């Protein structure tokens, strides 16, 4: 009965917000991707309007919020968004991860692109993409602070903001087993991918050079136009999109890939609707966020995705990549 109730709530929210897409057309265009999509999905809030603050802390309606980052905690699904017109502070939507109901909207203290979100479950900390002049940065917010955040239009405070040496921008983030992974989006050259260990206090365990934090590991090359990164067992998943072209998810075997920017080494390339942003792995499920529902893009593609979609990873990756699992385990 509880599952039926949750599904009814999700259906009603999709109906009332116009979140249904043309199933037949989009399924025919991207059959491999949609064949693995599960029934549960989460409507993205604020695509038409949301209350935020200007840089002068004036309460104002924003019609241009554009979803970017995605992560899950034990109880919540978090979506970051920035104002495409650069007039309002960026925000994080807090959704119930079971029902998809928006609980609150958290206003950030600045206007970052907020292209990546990551959650550290050991230290109950949210990592957010940011910038600091010519360098990438990551900011942190305690999960406890998000839970205590009041509905009044005030900004939440960052716990810390850390400037990274290797990258000019932090375009995508993910957390996995005590490490924060940061990727750089590029248009005309290979992207970059860095790994930062997290210490027992929940801080980046790194070398400091002239106030800049440096990764103790080598920087890896990745393909151009990478919007999201996720790790599933021994696989690295990279989401790519730019403009009206189809999005793609590149699947690499971490143990056997010599060059992650070489698409010939990818185990699998999965086509998705355009404007794919962050992807997130939870168990055997993949969550995918799109920005095509935002005002800047919704008229540029017939495949407008207003929901966070949830896919069965085992079905999506099928036997080709399952062989890689077996080879990795037997090595």
């Amino acid at each position: 009965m509880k599952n039926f109730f949750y599904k009814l709530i999700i259906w009603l929210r999709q109906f009332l917000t116009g979140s249904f897409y043309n199933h037949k057309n989009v399924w025919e265009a991207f059959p491999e991707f949609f064949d693995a999509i599960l029934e549960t999905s989460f409507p993205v809030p604020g695509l038409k309007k949301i209350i935020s603050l200007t840089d002068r802390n004036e309460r104002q309606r924003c019609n241009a919020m554009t979803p970017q980052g995605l992560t899950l905690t034990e109880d919540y699904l978090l979506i970051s968004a920035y104002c495409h017109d650069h007039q309002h502070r960026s925000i994080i939507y807090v959704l119930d991860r079971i029902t998809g109901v928006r609980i609150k909207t958290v206003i950030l203290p600045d206007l970052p692109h907020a292209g990546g979100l990551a959650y550290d479950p050991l230290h109950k900390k949210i990592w957010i993409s940011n910038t600091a002049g010519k360098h990438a940065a990551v900011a942190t917010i305690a999960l406890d602070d998000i839970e205590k955040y009041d509905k009044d239009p005030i900004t939440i405070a960052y716990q810390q903001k850390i400037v990274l040496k290797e990258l000019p921008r932090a375009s995508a983030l993910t957390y996995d087993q005590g490490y924060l992974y940061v990727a750089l989006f590029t248009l005309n050259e290979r992207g970059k991918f860095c790994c930062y260990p997290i210490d027992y206090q929940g801080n980046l365990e790194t070398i400091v050079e002239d106030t800049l934090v440096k990764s103790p590991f080598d920087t890896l090359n990745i393909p151009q136009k990478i919007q999201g990164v996720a790790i599933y067992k021994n696989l690295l998943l990279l989401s790519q999109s730019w403009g009206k072209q189809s999005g793609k998810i590149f699947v690499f075997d971490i143990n056997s890939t010599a060059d992650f920017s070489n698409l010939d080494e990818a185990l699998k390339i999965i086509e998705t609707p355009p404007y794919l942003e962050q992807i997130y792995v939870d168990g055997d499920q993949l969550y995918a966020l799109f920005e095509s529902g935002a005002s800047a893009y919704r008229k540029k593609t017939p495949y407008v995705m207003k929901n966070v979609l949830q896919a069965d990873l085992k079905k999506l990756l099928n036997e080709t990549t399952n062989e890689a699992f077996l080879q990795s385990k037997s090595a």
Side-chain angles (χ1 to χ4, degrees):
M1 179 62 72
K2 182 181 288 187
N3 288 337
F4 173 79
F5 177 71
Y6 289 151
K7 289 179 181 179
L8 179 61
I9 289 177
I10 292 170
W11 185 91
L12 286 172
R13 287 180 60 82
Q14 291 174 338
F15 178 79
L16 293 172
T17 59
S19 297
F20 290 112
Y21 45 81
N22 189 322
H23 287 268
K24 182 179 179 181
N25 287 349
V26 75
W27 196 291
E28 290 176 349
F30 309 99
E32 184 177 28
F33 178 67
F34 278 94
D35 191 46
I37 293 299
L38 301 173
E39 185 176 345
T40 304
S41 63
F42 302 86
V44 178
L47 293 175
K48 291 186 177 180
K49 60 181 179 180
I50 197 72
I51 297 297
S52 184
L53 296 174
T54 67
D55 56 2
R56 296 182 179 181
N57 287 328
E58 298 169 337
R59 188 175 185 272
Q60 198 172 85
R61 186 176 72 177
C62 176
N63 300 319
M65 277 295 171
T66 306
Q68 293 293 298
L70 168 73
T71 194
L72 270 74
T73 73
E74 292 82 0
D75 300 311
Y76 312 114
L77 185 147
L78 307 179
I79 300 172
S80 62
Y82 80 103
C83 174
H84 191 270
D85 297 334
H86 307 289
Q87 300 298 313
H88 304 95
R89 298 185 188 275
S90 302
I91 59 179
I92 294 177
Y93 302 114
V94 182
L95 280 64
D96 185 293
R97 66 172 288 170
I98 302 298
T99 66
V101 173
R102 178 165 61 95
I103 299 171
K104 64 179 72 175
T105 300
V106 176
I107 303 176
L108 299 180
D110 49 6
L111 285 75
H113 198 77
L117 286 180
Y119 174 59
D120 175 357
L122 295 179
H123 303 97
K124 309 295 184 184
K125 180 183 290 188
I126 311 298
W127 294 86
I128 307 162
S129 294
N130 210 294
T131 56
K134 297 181 180 180
H135 293 280
V138 285
T140 64
I141 298 175
L143 178 61
D144 186 58
D145 289 342
I146 285 182
E147 291 180 328
K148 292 178 180 177
Y149 182 85
D150 192 84
K151 293 183 178 180
D152 291 336
I154 58 173
T155 60
I156 199 167
Y158 292 140
Q159 280 185 314
Q160 57 187 163
K161 184 175 176 178
I162 303 163
V163 184
L164 307 178
K165 178 180 177 65
E166 290 87 352
L167 304 174
R169 297 177 308 281
S171 308
L173 303 179
T174 196
Y175 169 93
D176 186 69
Q177 300 185 48
Y179 293 89
L180 182 70
Y181 296 88
V182 184
L184 171 67
F185 173 97
T186 55
L187 269 180
N188 301 313
E189 56 189 8
R190 292 183 295 183
K192 302 291 182 183
F193 184 60
C194 296
C195 173
Y196 299 89
I198 296 174
D199 65 21
Y200 70 96
Q201 294 181 321
N203 301 315
L204 294 189
E205 185 181 288
T206 51
I207 304 165
V208 178
E209 294 186 358
D210 300 325
T211 72
L212 300 178
V213 168
K214 180 181 178 181
S215 171
F217 305 108
D218 291 336
T219 299
L220 301 177
N221 292 321
I222 56 175
Q224 304 169 351
K225 306 169 185 174
I226 294 302
Q227 303 278 7
V229 54
I231 295 173
Y232 177 57
K233 300 182 180 181
N234 62 298
L235 301 178
L236 175 66
L237 281 61
L238 300 171
S239 59
Q240 181 196 65
S241 74
W242 178 251
K244 296 183 289 185
Q245 296 83 8
S246 298
K248 292 181 174 63
I249 298 175
F250 303 124
V251 183
F252 292 94
D253 187 332
I254 294 172
N255 298 322
S256 64
T257 301
D259 181 0
F260 291 96
S261 68
N262 182 2
L263 298 184
D264 290 336
E265 295 194 50
L267 295 175
K268 191 176 183 66
I269 300 176
I270 304 160
E271 284 204 355
T272 75
Y275 300 105
L276 174 64
E277 290 295 313
Q278 184 160 356
I279 53 176
Y280 180 85
V281 168
D282 181 51
D284 291 322
Q285 296 178 354
L286 177 75
Y287 293 76
L289 174 68
F290 299 81
E291 64 178 0
S292 53
S295 61
Y297 305 112
R298 68 173 69 109
K299 294 183 179 180
K300 295 183 178 181
T301 175
Y303 309 116
V304 175
M305 301 289 106
K306 297 182 180 180
N307 292 358
V308 174
L309 301 182
Q310 193 175 348
D312 181 338
L313 265 174
K314 290 183 177 180
K315 190 171 185 180
L316 187 64
L317 299 178
N318 67 39
E319 296 178 359
T320 303
T321 45
N322 285 339
E323 291 176 5
F325 294 156
L326 296 175
Q327 293 172 2
S328 175
K329 291 177 180 178
S330 62

